[in-house]
Amino acid sequence: MKNTKLILVSTLMFASLLCFAQQRPVVSTYQFNGLLINPAYAGSLNLFSATVTNRNQWVNVDGAPNSQSVSAHTTWAENRVGTGLTIQRDAVGVHEQYSVYGSYAYKIHMSTGILSMGLQGGFDSRSSNFTSLDWKDASDPLNLDQSRFNPNFGAGLYFANKKFFVGLSIPYILQPKIFDVASISSDARESRYYYLNIGNVIELSKTIKLNPSFLLRMQQRANIGYDLNVN
């Protein structure tokens, strides 16, 4: 029994030497709000569309991830141009981030479908309330409130027709520092994410359609780690 406990403790200690964590909120409702992961999705529905989402993880756990988003997009110039706006809030523990991004997409009409090329630009406003924590050492240099304003931009491609769609995007290309304290040397930066979304539309009847799809999200600056959502 003692050997088992020793092995367990040793394994946990070595495993804690290197760890990775997600920074951007998980998007499990991407099939209803493609603008959150790909700026080229703007105007793809050929009408005005607005979406509001809310995600609460680990309910009743103090500091659990909590995120909300509001997005809207529409099409212009005889369905050749799409524009959109996305506003997000993401809170985890003592950290809270607000993001505002505008999207622009230019659509090329082809015989096999529509190819959309999109760009987005905006900013993230992040605040960390470290003073709300119960510090063992009050002189710790991180025992202070911090806030950062980081502009960023992204790009994406989106192809769709009546039966198939595929999207590839990098919504946030820049990798700014997460925090900056003069007395601490740290290179902690936001990760860059790559999204691949593929799906098709199966018409079961005139009124019922089946829309299976999957989303692959890969994170840079991590040796191991990807998210796979299937819907």
Side-chain angles (χ1 to χ4, degrees):
M1 186 66 178
K2 291 183 178 180
N3 291 336
T4 302
K5 290 184 178 180
L6 179 61
I7 293 174
L8 178 60
V9 172
S10 300
T11 302
L12 292 175
M13 290 179 63
F14 281 109
S16 65
L17 296 178
L18 185 63
C19 61
F20 307 97
Q22 110 191 13
Q23 295 170 356
R24 295 286 176 176
V26 174
V27 185
S28 60
T29 57
Y30 68 91
Q31 68 273 36
F32 305 113
N33 197 358
L35 198 61
L36 289 179
I37 61 173
N38 193 342
Y41 188 80
S44 62
L45 300 179
N46 302 332
L47 49 78
F48 175 79
S49 174
T51 307
V52 178
T53 61
N54 177 71
R55 181 185 178 95
N56 291 320
Q57 300 184 64
W58 315 329
V59 178
N60 297 326
V61 175
D62 190 24
N66 179 274
S67 60
Q68 295 81 35
S69 68
V70 178
S71 68
H73 62 104
T74 190
T75 187
W76 308 89
E78 297 181 351
N79 195 26
R80 294 193 303 269
V81 173
T83 57
L85 177 67
T86 301
I87 302 174
Q88 288 182 280
R89 172 188 174 272
D90 183 42
V92 181
V94 299
H95 309 289
E96 185 176 34
Q97 178 168 293
Y98 287 90
S99 304
V100 179
Y101 283 85
S103 302
Y104 173 88
Y106 182 78
K107 296 182 282 186
I108 301 175
H109 294 256
M110 302 183 296
S111 59
T112 55
I114 297 178
L115 175 63
S116 178
M117 300 171 288
L119 294 172
Q120 74 172 15
F123 65 87
D124 302 310
S125 179
R126 179 186 178 92
S127 61
S128 300
N129 186 17
F130 289 113
T131 57
S132 65
L133 300 175
D134 185 14
W135 293 83
K136 291 184 178 180
D137 183 2
S139 63
D140 192 302
L142 273 180
N143 186 10
L144 47 86
D145 293 338
Q146 296 187 45
S147 61
R148 290 186 65 86
F149 178 87
N150 297 315
N152 213 324
F153 69 98
L157 295 172
Y158 184 77
F159 174 83
N161 55 34
K162 294 182 178 180
K163 295 183 177 181
F164 174 79
F165 61 88
V166 57
L168 179 65
S169 63
I170 312 175
Y172 311 99
I173 294 178
L174 301 182
Q175 298 176 283
K177 284 190 174 182
I178 295 177
F179 66 88
D180 191 6
V181 181
S183 57
I184 296 179
S185 178
S186 174
D187 192 37
R189 295 179 178 273
E190 291 191 14
S191 295
R192 184 179 297 148
Y193 294 94
Y194 304 86
Y195 292 87
L196 174 63
N197 178 210
I198 299 176
N200 68 324
V201 179
I202 303 173
E203 187 172 344
L204 301 179
S205 69
K206 292 184 178 180
T207 57
I208 300 177
K209 294 182 179 180
L210 184 64
N211 184 198
S213 68
F214 81 90
L215 172 68
L216 175 67
R217 183 179 84 159
M218 300 189 67
Q219 176 183 346
Q220 192 173 329
R221 300 170 63 90
N223 292 338
I224 300 175
Y226 63 88
D227 297 328
L228 178 61
N229 292 321
V230 180
N231 290 274

